[in-house]
Amino acid sequence: MKRSAACLSLLFLLSTVSFGQSYEKLHASAILADTHNDVLSTATMKGLNIENDLTGKTHSDLARFKKGGVDVQVFSIFCDERFGKDTAFKFANIEIDSLYAIAGRNPDKMAMVRTMSQLKRAIKQKKIACMPGVEGGHMMEDKLENLDSFHKKGVCYMTLTWNNSTSWATSAADETSKKDSLPHKGLTAFGKQVVQRMNELGMIVDVSHVGEQTFWDAIHTTTKPVIASHSCAYSLCPVPRNMKDDQIKAMAANNGVIQLNFYSGFLDSNYIKNRKAFAARHQAEADSVKQLKWANYEIDEWLAKKYPTEADNIRAPLSLLLDHLDYIVKLAGVDHVGLGSDFDGIESPPQQLNDVTTYPLITKALMERGYSNKDIKKILGGNFLRVLKANIN
Ligand SMILES: [Zn+2]
């Protein structure tokens, strides 16, 4: 009896070891492409350098990208609506230039790419293939020549809006909160010209953050596949910037791809309620630092660091990210979903997905849900590369 129990536990051990090896092997052989990481702007604002080990300070740095098996990374170029005329375009360029400077100092680890052959070469040489993506149409400051300039600098996509609307496109936040008080809704005639120009240049149209009207105007204007660089499914978590079923189906018909955002607040419909309760439990402390003129998100980060167990408990379970993925696959097919983590742009990723080193856990979870190796490779990067190729070639 004792011997058979020992045999059984040995068998169990062997099976977990071989399973463990196989998910790691599959992860290493797949091309992992993440379409949204905010570490560039976060590091700039905090005075950090991603060439250093930033464990405990950020979700990402160069060494950890490598450890997580990241092959292709789109770095978000971002400034908020406080940057307007004469400052947003300039600031975007400073960020883009800083990415080139970092890549220039690390030619053995990174390669800036703008064609499929450059991208493939970088992966073959075991370097991270890097591209900038501009998160918010406000950064082109209403000038098509600025869009051309972004393209010349290798920007692979532009998100038509961030949370702020532009003069030519309305955001999800504004379409839902301002409604009839908006001067226009969706894309204006100039907004449609922006989409057409992006198609001509070979820059991907990104519909994350945009309002529903802008989405439909963009999808009816574009002649090339689009992406949602960091969005989830509205049916599972009804926040305005997640994708509704008819939008997901339209993106599949367009041969586009929805790249899943890892933010607990876009995955878990209970998250906002739980976060409010957490903040309420520590209201007195939050009020005490408000006098220091901290922004709300800075207070949230500070409280999360002070009460890590409580903050951890309200993170979405990893299974919910997989639920969003399954949902899109059932609705639109396995060719239309991928990963756009939003690491370093979010304060609360799902449990276990602590930073960019944890991507292999997604591969493991996909295997456990019964996805084939071929489909896992599509989800991890193949789908995005298909859309990229259709745009840039
Ligand atoms: Zn975003």
Side-chain angles (χ1 to χ4, degrees):
M1 185 64 196
K2 259 186 190 167
R3 232 173 69 182
S4 63
C7 276
L8 271 176
S9 51
L10 182 67
L11 267 175
F12 176 73
L13 191 70
L14 283 172
S15 69
T16 51
V17 167
S18 68
F19 183 72
Q21 279 170 344
S22 70
Y23 88 78
E24 281 156 348
K25 214 170 142 188
L26 174 61
H27 190 79
S29 70
I31 294 174
L32 174 60
D34 183 300
T35 49
H36 201 94
N37 185 302
D38 274 309
V39 76
L40 201 61
S41 48
T42 301
T44 309
M45 302 289 186
K46 291 184 175 173
L48 300 169
N49 182 346
I50 65 164
E51 292 157 88
N52 298 330
D53 178 4
L54 301 177
T55 308
K57 293 177 182 155
T58 61
H59 295 139
S60 329
D61 56 49
L62 272 191
R64 281 184 289 158
F65 277 126
K66 205 76 210 142
K67 210 172 159 197
V70 177
D71 298 291
V72 179
Q73 183 64 61
V74 184
F75 288 88
S76 169
I77 302 302
F78 173 72
C79 62
D80 65 23
E81 74 282 5
R82 289 172 295 182
F83 292 75
K85 200 173 171 312
D86 297 329
T87 55
F89 180 67
K90 246 183 235 168
F91 192 83
N93 277 288
I94 291 169
E95 281 191 28
I96 295 168
D97 293 347
S98 77
L99 182 60
Y100 276 91
I102 296 165
R105 288 195 296 271
N106 296 276
D108 54 328
K109 298 188 186 88
M110 300 167 75
M112 298 300 298
V113 301
R114 56 176 69 200
T115 65
M116 292 310 285
S117 57
Q118 287 172 352
L119 182 143
K120 282 180 194 159
R121 195 182 318 135
I123 295 171
K124 215 170 169 190
Q125 294 172 339
K126 304 202 180 310
K127 297 175 187 178
I128 306 166
C130 304
M131 291 174 282
V134 168
E135 185 180 16
H138 59 287
M139 279 174 266
M140 59 172 269
E141 294 184 21
D142 300 343
K143 288 180 188 152
L144 289 178
E145 59 262 39
N146 288 348
L147 190 60
D148 295 353
S149 166
F150 282 150
H151 177 252
K152 280 198 191 101
K153 286 196 165 187
V155 168
C156 73
Y157 70 68
M158 185 173 78
T159 319
L160 298 179
T161 72
W162 182 60
N163 290 336
N164 55 321
S165 298
T166 62
S167 67
W168 47 269
T170 42
S171 68
D174 283 346
E175 280 193 22
T176 46
S177 66
K178 295 183 183 165
K179 292 183 181 148
D180 294 338
S181 68
L182 285 168
H184 71 91
K185 201 171 161 191
L187 289 179
T188 63
F190 179 72
K192 288 175 187 166
Q193 270 185 53
V194 171
V195 168
Q196 285 159 351
R197 186 85 188 135
M198 290 173 77
N199 286 163
E200 280 164 28
L201 291 169
M203 191 190 289
I204 306 172
V205 173
D206 177 17
V207 295
S208 280
H209 283 287
V210 308
E212 274 186 85
Q213 189 58 52
T214 298
F215 172 86
W216 289 112
D217 289 347
I219 209 93
H220 290 136
T221 305
T222 186
T223 54
K224 291 187 174 172
V226 303
I227 60 167
S229 69
H230 57 310
S231 294
C232 301
Y234 184 92
S235 286
L236 300 188
C237 185
V239 294
R241 72 182 267 338
N242 275 347
M243 311 298 292
K244 289 188 175 167
D245 289 0
D246 52 353
Q247 292 178 299
I248 294 169
K249 285 183 190 161
M251 284 190 67
N254 159 272
N255 208 19
V257 60
I258 297 130
Q259 303 281 94
L260 285 174
N261 192 313
F262 294 2
Y263 181 43
S264 291
F266 298 156
L267 294 167
D268 184 353
S269 53
N270 291 315
Y271 177 76
I272 298 299
K273 186 182 74 196
N274 293 339
R275 203 180 84 175
K276 278 184 182 156
F278 169 54
R281 284 196 293 278
H282 305 290
Q283 193 61 52
E285 278 173 280
D287 289 345
S288 71
V289 289
K290 249 183 197 155
Q291 290 159 2
L292 301 171
K293 297 207 184 315
W294 285 11
N296 284 341
Y297 74 89
E298 288 172 319
I299 298 172
D300 285 345
E301 270 183 20
W302 178 71
L303 283 178
K305 282 222 164 76
K306 205 159 178 213
Y307 300 99
T309 315
E310 275 181 75
D312 262 3
N313 287 341
I314 60 170
R315 288 165 67 184
L318 173 57
S319 60
L320 255 183
L321 178 68
L322 275 293
D323 290 348
H324 279 257
L325 200 139
D326 283 348
Y327 185 84
I328 294 172
V329 169
K330 281 200 185 91
L331 199 64
V334 76
D335 293 329
H336 306 289
V337 66
L339 306 175
S341 64
D342 214 355
F343 270 132
D344 283 306
I346 55 175
E347 86 284 357
S348 181
Q351 285 169 9
Q352 301 174 68
L353 295 187
N354 299 327
D355 66 8
V356 294
T357 64
T358 59
Y359 285 108
L361 295 179
I362 296 174
T363 304
K364 182 170 181 266
L366 286 166
M367 287 176 84
E368 286 165 357
R369 291 221 176 180
Y371 284 93
S372 68
N373 289 4
K374 193 178 159 208
D375 286 348
I376 291 172
K377 286 182 176 178
K378 285 182 179 180
I379 293 164
L380 293 180
N383 290 337
F384 171 65
L385 294 188
R386 181 194 73 234
V387 173
L388 181 70
K389 189 173 176 217
N391 274 268
I392 64 180
N393 284 359

